[in-house]
């Protein structure tokens, strides 16, 4: 089983719909992240959480919200999806000490029509 | 304002030859530099890293070089193998963004048999 699990893996939705992407991890890490990948733009940080009570906006948080339900769970919501939110979304975790390696889930591909 | 740039979107090399992937950054506060590798339909995985106190770090076929004065790092793969074909991202860390990596746009490496 994957250490970082994302659901759903693929989702097609319509403009204006509410979408939630879920992430759970078994690595025991305090830090969790949501990134978005677009062609030619690399991975851009949407939100991050360094512990259960900590939520921070990243580079591109507009149009998104998050919830850290537990140490192991971090969900990303699109309250009213729009077509330019069509992208590949990645959840990641890391240890709480120092600059370190991120462990990524397999990604959730979202298409907004 | 892109703090991290990988100016070559793609690179094609012959099996057995050297692959050199480049990355430039602008933030002088970055002090730890990571490279990630991503295969299609998978999340990125950590490949190799280097601290700013070093100018070279080697791990098997992979070597990362850091030139702090030029704010430039490179990843050398030698000899290149077809299984190295993937997207490579550089991701510096440090300063005020400590703990949340800033990713370059990625370079698609194709190694031909």
């Amino acid at each position: 089983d994957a250490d970082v699990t994302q659901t759903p893996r693929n989702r097609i939705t319509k403009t204006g719909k509410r979408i939630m992407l879920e992430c759970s991890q078994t690595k025991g890490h305090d830090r969790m992240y949501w990134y978005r990948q677009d062609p030619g733009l690399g991975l851009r940080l949407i939100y991050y959480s360094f512990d259960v009570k900590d939520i921070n906006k990243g580079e591109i948080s507009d149009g998104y919200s998050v919830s850290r339900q537990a140490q192991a769970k971090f969900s990303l919501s699109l309250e009213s999806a729009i077509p330019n939110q069509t992208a590949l979304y990645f959840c990641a975790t890391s240890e709480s000490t120092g600059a370190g390696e991120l462990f990524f889930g397999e990604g959730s591909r979202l298409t907004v029509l | 304002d892109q703090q991290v740039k990988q100016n070559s979107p793609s690179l094609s090399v012959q099996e057995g030859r050297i692959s050199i992937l480049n990355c430039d950054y602008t933030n002088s506060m970055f002090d730890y530099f990571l490279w990630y590798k991503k295969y299609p339909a998978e999340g990125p995985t950590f490949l190799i890293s280097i601290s700013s106190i070093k100018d070279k770090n080697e791990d098997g076929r992979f070597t990362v070089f850091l030139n702090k004065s030029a704010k430039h790092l490179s990843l050398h793969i030698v000899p290149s193998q077809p299984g190295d074909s993937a997207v490579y991202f550089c991701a510096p860390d440090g300063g005020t963004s400590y703990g949340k990596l800033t990713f370059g746009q990625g370079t698609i490496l194709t190694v031909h048999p």
Side-chain angles (χ1 to χ4, degrees), chain B residues 2-58:
Chain B
Q2 288 183 309
Q3 296 188 72
V4 183
K5 290 185 179 180
Q6 294 177 253
N7 290 318
S8 297
S10 63
L11 175 67
S12 180
V13 300
Q14 206 69 29
E15 181 178 6
R17 306 296 289 268
I18 186 171
S19 297
I20 300 176
L21 297 92
N22 295 302
C23 179
D24 296 292
Y25 62 95
T26 57
N27 189 341
S28 59
M29 298 298 289
F30 289 144
D31 59 7
Y32 196 68
F33 303 87
L34 301 92
W35 283 92
Y36 283 79
K37 176 179 180 179
K38 183 185 180 302
Y39 292 118
E42 296 183 9
T45 56
F46 170 75
L47 181 61
I48 191 170
S49 63
I50 187 168
S51 166
S52 60
I53 63 173
K54 295 184 176 181
D55 55 16
K56 176 183 175 181
N57 188 31
E58 190 172 354

Coordinates of all heavy atoms in Angstrom, one line a residue, chain B residues 2-58:
Chain B
Q2 N 9.7 34.1 -11.1 CA 10.1 32.7 -10.9 C 11.4 32.7 -10.2 O 12.4 33.2 -10.7 CB 10.2 32.0 -12.3 CG 8.8 31.7 -12.9 CD 9.0 31.0 -14.2 OE1 9.7 31.3 -15.1 NE2 8.3 29.9 -14.3
Q3 N 11.4 32.1 -9.0 CA 12.7 32.0 -8.3 C 13.5 30.9 -8.7 O 14.7 30.8 -8.4 CB 12.3 31.8 -6.8 CG 11.6 33.0 -6.2 CD 11.5 32.8 -4.7 OE1 12.5 32.9 -3.9 NE2 10.3 32.5 -4.2
V4 N 12.9 29.9 -9.4 CA 13.7 28.7 -9.9 C 13.4 28.5 -11.4 O 12.2 28.4 -11.7 CB 13.3 27.5 -9.1 CG1 14.1 26.3 -9.5 CG2 13.4 27.7 -7.6
K5 N 14.4 28.4 -12.2 CA 14.2 28.2 -13.6 C 15.0 27.0 -14.1 O 16.2 26.9 -13.9 CB 14.6 29.5 -14.4 CG 13.7 30.6 -14.2 CD 14.1 31.8 -15.1 CE 13.1 33.0 -14.9 NZ 13.5 34.1 -15.7
Q6 N 14.3 26.2 -14.8 CA 15.0 25.1 -15.6 C 14.7 25.5 -17.1 O 13.6 25.3 -17.6 CB 14.4 23.8 -15.3 CG 14.7 23.3 -13.8 CD 14.0 22.0 -13.5 OE1 13.1 22.0 -12.7 NE2 14.6 20.9 -14.0
N7 N 15.7 26.0 -17.7 CA 15.5 26.7 -19.0 C 15.4 25.7 -20.2 O 14.9 26.1 -21.3 CB 16.6 27.7 -19.3 CG 16.5 28.9 -18.4 OD1 15.4 29.4 -18.1 ND2 17.6 29.3 -17.9
S8 N 15.7 24.4 -19.9 CA 15.6 23.4 -21.0 C 14.3 22.6 -20.7 O 14.4 21.8 -19.8 CB 16.8 22.6 -21.1 OG 17.9 23.3 -21.4
P9 N 13.3 22.8 -21.5 CA 12.1 22.0 -21.3 C 12.3 20.5 -21.6 O 11.6 19.7 -21.0 CB 11.1 22.6 -22.3 CG 11.6 23.9 -22.6 CD 13.1 23.8 -22.5
S10 N 13.2 20.2 -22.5 CA 13.5 18.8 -22.8 C 14.9 18.6 -23.2 O 15.7 19.5 -23.5 CB 12.6 18.4 -23.9 OG 12.9 19.1 -25.1
L11 N 15.3 17.3 -23.0 CA 16.7 16.9 -23.3 C 16.7 15.5 -23.8 O 16.0 14.6 -23.2 CB 17.6 17.0 -22.1 CG 19.0 16.5 -22.2 CD1 19.8 17.4 -23.1 CD2 19.7 16.4 -20.8
S12 N 17.4 15.3 -24.9 CA 17.4 13.9 -25.5 C 18.9 13.5 -25.6 O 19.7 14.2 -26.1 CB 16.8 13.9 -26.9 OG 16.8 12.7 -27.5
V13 N 19.2 12.3 -25.1 CA 20.5 11.8 -25.1 C 20.5 10.3 -25.5 O 19.5 9.6 -25.4 CB 21.3 12.0 -23.7 CG1 21.3 13.4 -23.4 CG2 20.6 11.1 -22.7
Q14 N 21.7 9.8 -25.9 CA 21.9 8.4 -26.3 C 22.2 7.6 -25.0 O 23.0 8.1 -24.1 CB 22.9 8.3 -27.3 CG 22.8 7.1 -28.2 CD 21.6 7.2 -29.2 OE1 21.2 8.3 -29.5 NE2 21.1 6.1 -29.5
E15 N 21.7 6.4 -25.0 CA 22.1 5.5 -23.9 C 23.6 5.5 -23.7 O 24.3 5.3 -24.7 CB 21.5 4.1 -24.1 CG 21.8 3.1 -23.0 CD 21.2 1.8 -23.3 OE1 20.6 1.6 -24.4 OE2 21.2 0.9 -22.4
G16 N 24.1 5.5 -22.5 CA 25.5 5.4 -22.2 C 26.2 6.8 -22.2 O 27.3 6.9 -21.6
R17 N 25.6 7.8 -22.7 CA 26.2 9.1 -22.7 C 25.8 9.9 -21.4 O 25.0 9.4 -20.6 CB 25.8 9.9 -23.9 CG 26.0 9.2 -25.2 CD 27.5 9.0 -25.5 NE 28.2 10.3 -25.8 CZ 28.4 10.7 -27.0 NH1 27.9 10.1 -28.1 NH2 29.1 11.9 -27.2
I18 N 26.4 11.1 -21.2 CA 26.1 11.9 -20.1 C 24.8 12.7 -20.3 O 24.6 13.3 -21.4 CB 27.3 12.7 -19.7 CG1 27.0 13.5 -18.4 CG2 27.6 13.7 -20.8 CD1 28.2 14.2 -17.8
S19 N 24.0 12.8 -19.3 CA 22.9 13.8 -19.3 C 23.2 14.9 -18.3 O 23.6 14.6 -17.2 CB 21.6 13.1 -18.9 OG 21.2 12.1 -19.8
I20 N 23.0 16.1 -18.7 CA 23.3 17.3 -17.8 C 22.0 18.1 -17.8 O 21.6 18.7 -18.8 CB 24.5 18.1 -18.3 CG1 25.7 17.3 -18.3 CG2 24.6 19.3 -17.4 CD1 26.9 18.0 -18.9
L21 N 21.4 18.2 -16.6 CA 20.2 19.0 -16.4 C 20.6 20.2 -15.6 O 21.2 20.1 -14.6 CB 19.1 18.2 -15.8 CG 18.6 17.0 -16.6 CD1 19.4 15.7 -16.3 CD2 17.1 16.8 -16.4
N22 N 20.1 21.4 -16.0 CA 20.5 22.6 -15.3 C 19.3 23.3 -14.6 O 18.2 23.1 -15.0 CB 21.1 23.6 -16.3 CG 22.4 23.1 -16.9 OD1 23.3 22.8 -16.2 ND2 22.4 22.9 -18.2
C23 N 19.7 24.1 -13.6 CA 18.7 24.8 -12.8 C 19.3 26.1 -12.3 O 20.5 26.1 -11.8 CB 18.3 23.9 -11.6 SG 17.1 24.6 -10.5
D24 N 18.6 27.2 -12.4 CA 19.1 28.5 -11.9 C 18.1 29.0 -10.9 O 16.9 28.8 -11.1 CB 19.2 29.5 -13.1 CG 20.3 29.1 -14.1 OD1 21.5 29.1 -13.7 OD2 19.9 28.7 -15.2
Y25 N 18.6 29.7 -9.9 CA 17.7 30.2 -8.9 C 18.1 31.7 -8.6 O 19.2 32.1 -8.9 CB 17.7 29.4 -7.6 CG 19.0 29.3 -7.0 CD1 19.4 30.1 -5.9 CD2 20.0 28.3 -7.4 CE1 20.6 30.0 -5.2 CE2 21.2 28.2 -6.7 CZ 21.5 29.0 -5.7 OH 22.7 28.9 -5.0
T26 N 17.2 32.4 -8.0 CA 17.4 33.8 -7.7 C 17.5 34.1 -6.2 O 18.2 35.1 -5.8 CB 16.4 34.7 -8.3 OG1 15.1 34.3 -7.8 CG2 16.3 34.6 -9.9
N27 N 16.9 33.3 -5.4 CA 16.9 33.6 -4.0 C 18.2 33.1 -3.3 O 18.4 31.9 -3.1 CB 15.7 32.8 -3.4 CG 15.4 33.2 -1.9 OD1 16.2 33.8 -1.3 ND2 14.2 33.0 -1.5
S28 N 18.9 34.1 -2.8 CA 20.2 33.7 -2.2 C 20.0 33.1 -0.8 O 21.0 32.6 -0.2 CB 21.1 35.0 -2.0 OG 20.4 36.0 -1.3
M29 N 18.8 33.1 -0.3 CA 18.6 32.4 1.0 C 18.4 30.9 0.9 O 18.4 30.2 1.9 CB 17.3 33.0 1.6 CG 17.4 34.5 1.9 SD 18.7 34.9 3.1 CE 18.0 34.2 4.6
F30 N 18.2 30.4 -0.3 CA 18.1 29.0 -0.5 C 19.4 28.3 0.0 O 20.5 28.8 -0.4 CB 17.9 28.6 -1.9 CG 16.5 28.9 -2.5 CD1 16.3 29.3 -3.8 CD2 15.4 28.8 -1.7 CE1 15.1 29.6 -4.3 CE2 14.1 29.0 -2.2 CZ 14.0 29.5 -3.5
D31 N 19.3 27.3 0.8 CA 20.6 26.7 1.3 C 20.5 25.1 1.2 O 21.4 24.5 1.7 CB 20.9 27.1 2.7 CG 19.7 26.8 3.7 OD1 18.8 26.1 3.3 OD2 19.8 27.2 4.9
Y32 N 19.5 24.6 0.6 CA 19.4 23.2 0.4 C 18.7 22.9 -0.9 O 17.7 23.6 -1.2 CB 18.6 22.6 1.6 CG 18.8 21.1 1.8 CD1 20.0 20.5 2.2 CD2 17.7 20.2 1.6 CE1 20.1 19.2 2.3 CE2 17.8 18.9 1.7 CZ 19.1 18.3 2.1 OH 19.2 17.0 2.3
F33 N 19.3 22.0 -1.7 CA 18.8 21.9 -3.1 C 18.5 20.4 -3.3 O 19.3 19.5 -3.1 CB 19.8 22.4 -4.0 CG 20.2 23.8 -3.8 CD1 21.2 24.1 -2.9 CD2 19.5 24.9 -4.4 CE1 21.5 25.5 -2.6 CE2 19.8 26.2 -4.1 CZ 20.8 26.5 -3.2
L34 N 17.3 20.1 -3.8 CA 16.9 18.8 -4.1 C 16.5 18.6 -5.5 O 16.1 19.5 -6.2 CB 15.6 18.4 -3.2 CG 15.8 18.5 -1.7 CD1 15.4 19.9 -1.2 CD2 15.0 17.4 -1.0
W35 N 16.7 17.4 -6.0 CA 16.2 17.0 -7.3 C 15.2 15.9 -7.2 O 15.4 14.9 -6.4 CB 17.4 16.5 -8.2 CG 18.2 17.6 -8.8 CD1 19.4 18.1 -8.2 CD2 18.0 18.3 -10.0 NE1 19.9 19.1 -9.0 CE2 19.1 19.2 -10.1 CE3 17.1 18.3 -11.0 CZ2 19.2 20.1 -11.2 CZ3 17.2 19.1 -12.1 CH2 18.3 20.0 -12.2
Y36 N 14.1 16.0 -7.9 CA 13.1 15.0 -8.0 C 12.9 14.5 -9.4 O 13.2 15.2 -10.4 CB 11.7 15.6 -7.5 CG 11.6 15.8 -6.0 CD1 12.2 16.9 -5.4 CD2 11.0 14.9 -5.2 CE1 12.2 17.0 -4.0 CE2 10.9 15.0 -3.9 CZ 11.5 16.1 -3.3 OH 11.5 16.2 -1.9
K37 N 12.5 13.3 -9.5 CA 12.3 12.6 -10.7 C 10.8 12.1 -10.8 O 10.2 11.7 -9.8 CB 13.2 11.3 -10.7 CG 13.1 10.4 -11.9 CD 14.1 9.3 -11.7 CE 14.1 8.3 -12.8 NZ 15.2 7.3 -12.6
K38 N 10.2 12.3 -11.9 CA 8.8 11.9 -12.0 C 8.5 11.1 -13.3 O 8.8 11.6 -14.4 CB 7.9 13.2 -12.0 CG 6.4 12.9 -12.1 CD 5.6 14.1 -12.2 CE 4.1 13.7 -12.2 NZ 3.8 12.8 -13.3
Y39 N 8.0 9.9 -13.1 CA 7.5 9.1 -14.2 C 6.0 9.4 -14.5 O 5.3 9.9 -13.6 CB 7.6 7.6 -13.9 CG 9.1 7.2 -13.8 CD1 9.6 6.6 -12.7 CD2 9.9 7.2 -14.9 CE1 10.9 6.2 -12.6 CE2 11.2 6.7 -14.9 CZ 11.7 6.2 -13.7 OH 13.0 5.8 -13.6
P40 N 5.5 9.2 -15.7 CA 4.1 9.4 -16.0 C 3.2 8.6 -15.0 O 3.6 7.5 -14.7 CB 4.0 8.9 -17.4 CG 5.3 9.1 -18.0 CD 6.3 8.8 -16.9
A41 N 2.1 9.2 -14.6 CA 1.1 8.5 -13.8 C 1.7 8.2 -12.4 O 1.1 7.4 -11.7 CB 0.6 7.3 -14.4
E42 N 2.8 8.8 -12.0 CA 3.3 8.6 -10.6 C 3.6 10.0 -10.0 O 3.8 11.0 -10.7 CB 4.6 7.8 -10.7 CG 4.4 6.4 -11.1 CD 5.7 5.6 -11.1 OE1 6.6 6.1 -10.5 OE2 5.7 4.5 -11.6
G43 N 3.7 10.0 -8.7 CA 4.1 11.2 -8.0 C 5.6 11.4 -8.1 O 6.4 10.4 -8.4
P44 N 6.1 12.6 -8.0 CA 7.6 12.8 -8.0 C 8.2 12.0 -6.8 O 7.6 11.8 -5.8 CB 7.7 14.3 -7.8 CG 6.4 14.9 -8.2 CD 5.4 13.9 -7.8
T45 N 9.5 11.6 -7.1 CA 10.2 10.9 -6.0 C 11.6 11.6 -5.9 O 12.2 12.0 -6.9 CB 10.4 9.4 -6.3 OG1 11.0 9.3 -7.6 CG2 9.1 8.7 -6.3
F46 N 12.0 11.6 -4.7 CA 13.3 12.3 -4.4 C 14.5 11.5 -5.0 O 14.5 10.3 -5.0 CB 13.5 12.3 -2.9 CG 14.9 12.7 -2.4 CD1 15.3 14.0 -2.5 CD2 15.8 11.8 -1.9 CE1 16.6 14.4 -2.1 CE2 17.1 12.1 -1.5 CZ 17.4 13.4 -1.6
L47 N 15.4 12.3 -5.6 CA 16.5 11.6 -6.3 C 17.9 11.9 -5.5 O 18.6 11.0 -5.2 CB 16.6 12.2 -7.7 CG 17.7 11.6 -8.6 CD1 17.6 10.1 -8.8 CD2 17.7 12.3 -9.9
I48 N 18.2 13.1 -5.4 CA 19.5 13.5 -4.7 C 19.4 14.9 -4.2 O 18.6 15.7 -4.7 CB 20.6 13.3 -5.8 CG1 22.0 13.4 -5.1 CG2 20.5 14.3 -6.9 CD1 23.2 13.0 -6.0
S49 N 20.2 15.3 -3.3 CA 20.2 16.6 -2.7 C 21.6 17.1 -2.5 O 22.6 16.3 -2.5 CB 19.4 16.7 -1.4 OG 20.0 15.9 -0.4
I50 N 21.7 18.4 -2.2 CA 23.0 19.0 -1.8 C 22.8 20.1 -0.9 O 21.8 20.9 -1.1 CB 23.8 19.4 -3.1 CG1 25.2 19.8 -2.7 CG2 23.1 20.5 -3.9 CD1 26.2 20.0 -3.9
S51 N 23.6 20.2 0.1 CA 23.6 21.4 1.0 C 24.5 22.5 0.4 O 25.4 22.2 -0.3 CB 24.1 21.0 2.4 OG 24.4 22.1 3.2
S52 N 24.2 23.7 0.8 CA 24.9 24.9 0.3 C 26.4 24.9 0.8 O 27.2 25.7 0.3 CB 24.2 26.2 0.7 OG 24.1 26.3 2.1
I53 N 26.7 24.1 1.8 CA 28.1 24.1 2.3 C 29.0 23.2 1.4 O 30.2 23.1 1.6 CB 28.2 23.6 3.7 CG1 27.7 22.2 3.9 CG2 27.4 24.6 4.6 CD1 27.9 21.6 5.3
K54 N 28.3 22.5 0.4 CA 29.1 21.6 -0.5 C 29.0 22.2 -1.9 O 28.1 22.9 -2.2 CB 28.5 20.2 -0.4 CG 28.7 19.5 0.9 CD 28.3 18.1 0.8 CE 28.5 17.3 2.1 NZ 28.1 15.9 2.0
D55 N 29.8 21.7 -2.8 CA 29.7 22.1 -4.2 C 29.5 20.8 -5.0 O 29.2 21.0 -6.2 CB 30.9 22.9 -4.7 CG 32.2 22.1 -4.4 OD1 32.2 20.9 -4.2 OD2 33.3 22.8 -4.5
K56 N 29.5 19.7 -4.4 CA 29.3 18.5 -5.2 C 28.7 17.4 -4.3 O 29.2 17.3 -3.1 CB 30.6 18.0 -5.8 CG 30.5 16.7 -6.6 CD 31.9 16.3 -7.1 CE 32.0 15.0 -7.7 NZ 33.3 14.6 -8.2
N57 N 27.8 16.6 -4.8 CA 27.3 15.4 -4.1 C 27.0 14.3 -5.1 O 26.4 14.6 -6.1 CB 26.0 15.7 -3.3 CG 25.6 14.6 -2.4 OD1 26.5 13.9 -1.9 ND2 24.3 14.4 -2.1
E58 N 27.5 13.1 -4.8 CA 27.5 12.1 -5.7 C 26.7 10.9 -5.1 O 26.9 10.5 -4.0 CB 28.9 11.7 -6.1 CG 29.1 10.7 -7.2 CD 30.5 10.6 -7.6 OE1 31.4 11.3 -7.1 OE2 30.8 9.7 -8.5

